[in-house]
Amino acid sequence: MKNGLFFLLLSIWIQPICNGENIPDVPCPFIMDAVETGSGIYIATETSGVWQLRSVDVGWESVSQADFDSLSGDSYLCNHDDLIEKKAAAYGYAIAKDVSENIWAGSAHCGACVIGKSNTLLLSQKNGLSGERVYDIATSPQCTAVATNGGIDIYHYETQRWYTYNRAEGLPDDTAAAMAYDDKGQLWVAFACGGAGVLPKIGDKWQFWQAPWYFDSTTARQPFTATGSGLPGNLGTAIAVSGNVVYYGCTNGLAYKRGNGQWRYIRGADSIEKNKGLFRTPIPKNMPRQ
């Protein structure tokens, strides 16, 4: 599904570059992320690394600067087959551009790299990141945020410092599945197992939202209704911002929030079918939990 979504986005983004011509076939069917820059389109792929499309005539070119293999010695996954076989550079999982048009690319095992106009900076736990696995990268005019398996690392351009947020710092989950900045510079996050959150700015307090957890109040893992207030679930998969509206996607449906309003959710057309057979009574307080 994610691959199909990026094919659609690439079809829209690449039209000015292609001038109505056929879009060249992408080098890998597993597209994990994509970004448009002034010089073309960059994609991060699983098994084939990072690629750039500058024009139809040139076609897709491999971005050799995105070489994560040199970071493999810093990874706690040093015995992983991909690292032993020197394939770490092939697993690109996130990509973004910052305010200076630098390209930030994240890997599955070995941190990230920042590709500038004249040089490339490799990022690992030794110089900024708190984890090896990069799930997403988001940028604003003030910051770049990198979501790793060890937490969220934010580089602030003005102070030239890294700021790290994880469960020790109060996050509900170390893993941010997706992130997005709004036009106010607020960082919105969909946590893999912790619902949604927002950081207004560096130094401010986070605000979090969660749906009732399984066993908290009902025996259902999802809402009984197709629409309602709050979040439909805490297993976040995507988040996006458009104007003053924030959209949060999870395994149980889609939620949206307008400005300072409350979250509202909508589930899929199969929600009634998925609810069949669910218990609708509260669990006894003395019932043992598995």
Side-chain angles (χ1 to χ4, degrees), residues 39-289:
S39 59
I41 304 296
Y42 285 82
I43 59 174
T45 70
E46 185 178 55
T47 72
S48 294
V50 179
W51 295 75
Q52 180 188 21
L53 177 66
R54 292 184 293 177
S55 70
V56 174
D57 294 335
V58 175
W60 291 97
E61 301 172 281
S62 176
V63 180
S64 59
Q65 299 100 310
D67 181 7
F68 304 109
D69 283 320
S70 58
L71 290 173
S72 60
D74 298 330
S75 176
Y76 81 100
L77 294 168
C78 58
N79 292 323
H80 193 285
D81 290 343
D82 295 335
L83 303 186
I84 295 174
E85 297 176 15
K86 292 296 182 181
K87 294 181 179 179
Y91 290 82
Y93 266 63
I95 199 161
K97 69 173 180 179
D98 63 21
V99 68
S100 299
E101 291 282 317
N102 298 312
I103 299 300
W104 293 62
S107 75
H109 311 305
C110 302
C113 66
V114 185
I115 305 169
K117 296 179 181 178
S118 59
N119 57 10
T120 299
L121 172 65
L122 298 176
L123 298 175
S124 70
Q125 288 179 294
K126 292 183 178 180
N127 60 345
L129 298 186
S130 55
E132 301 85 3
R133 170 68 156 88
V134 176
Y135 292 94
D136 199 14
I137 302 173
T139 64
S140 76
Q142 295 80 32
C143 304
T144 291
V146 183
T148 76
N149 59 302
I152 300 174
D153 303 306
I154 303 178
Y155 185 74
H156 193 268
Y157 305 142
E158 184 176 352
T159 61
Q160 297 185 9
R161 286 183 53 195
W162 284 98
Y163 298 82
T164 296
Y165 299 92
N166 50 38
R167 284 184 294 175
E169 298 291 329
L171 295 189
D173 184 7
D174 282 338
T175 302
M179 304 182 298
Y181 278 101
D182 62 20
D183 55 9
K184 296 179 181 178
Q186 300 182 118
L187 178 63
W188 293 86
V189 176
F191 293 100
C193 295
V198 63
L199 177 66
K201 63 180 180 181
I202 295 294
D204 281 0
K205 292 184 177 180
W206 284 83
Q207 184 177 0
F208 305 109
W209 297 269
Q210 289 188 343
W213 276 100
Y214 186 51
F215 284 141
D216 280 357
S217 59
T218 71
T219 56
R221 288 182 171 87
Q222 64 265 355
F224 293 122
T225 58
T227 62
S229 59
L231 302 182
N234 296 317
L235 307 183
T237 57
I239 200 158
V241 183
S242 178
N244 71 334
V245 183
V246 181
Y247 298 92
Y248 164 85
C250 70
T251 54
N252 290 336
L254 174 70
Y256 62 91
K257 183 180 184 298
R258 296 182 184 276
N260 296 323
Q262 299 297 312
W263 287 99
R264 298 285 301 174
Y265 71 79
I266 180 170
R267 300 185 62 208
D270 60 349
S271 60
I272 296 178
E273 190 69 24
K274 287 184 176 180
N275 281 345
K276 287 183 177 181
L278 295 178
F279 293 103
R280 296 173 181 264
T281 57
I283 296 175
K285 293 182 179 180
N286 60 352
M287 180 177 179
R289 301 185 180 185

